[in-house]
Amino acid sequence: MAHDALAAISSFAEFYPFYLGEHRNRTCRRLHFLGSSLALLCLGTLLVTGELLWLPAGLLCGYGFAWVGHFVFEKNKPASFRRPLWSFMGDWRMYWEIWTGRIPF
């Protein structure tokens, strides 16, 4: 699907196959998984300590690892630049599907 066709997508159910197509590279998916895991660890640490610096650390981990995966390995622009909410939802669905073995790690 061409990037301009992304504008015609009207639901997350339509968006998710596009999202998966933007994550064909295994290293990119692994970096997403690592970044999401570290983001969860930062969130947990924030909740336990109350230290607000863990919030930007979590965002940096989550998005930083994912964006390196896209720019360096996948060689595309992250969908979060165009569809931030659906991209965020896709990140966590893909994360779950990697955990459950539906998508190869």
Side-chain angles (χ1 to χ4, degrees):
M1 174 181 295
H3 288 288
D4 52 74
L6 185 57
I9 294 175
S10 62
S11 70
F12 179 72
E14 293 175 13
F15 173 79
Y16 191 61
F18 168 81
Y19 176 89
L20 290 178
E22 298 287 289
H23 296 85
R24 290 185 182 105
N25 181 280
R26 191 173 205 164
T27 302
C28 180
R29 287 194 310 272
R30 287 177 173 175
L31 286 168
H32 270 69
F33 189 86
L34 176 60
S36 295
S37 296
L38 290 172
L40 287 174
L41 185 62
C42 289
L43 177 62
T45 304
L46 167 66
L47 294 174
V48 169
T49 66
E51 292 290 330
L52 292 178
L53 285 176
W54 288 106
L55 181 60
L59 292 170
L60 182 63
C61 287
Y63 285 106
F65 279 87
W67 290 354
V68 167
H70 282 285
F71 291 125
V72 176
F73 297 98
E74 196 73 56
K75 308 247 190 275
N76 63 16
K77 273 199 221 172
S80 60
F81 291 174
R82 293 159 293 176
R83 292 292 179 115
L85 178 60
W86 286 349
S87 181
F88 182 76
M89 292 166 57
D91 288 343
W92 292 109
R93 180 169 171 187
M94 184 174 72
Y95 184 77
W96 175 252
E97 290 180 350
I98 290 171
W99 263 117
T100 58
R102 278 194 75 207
I103 295 175
F105 180 71

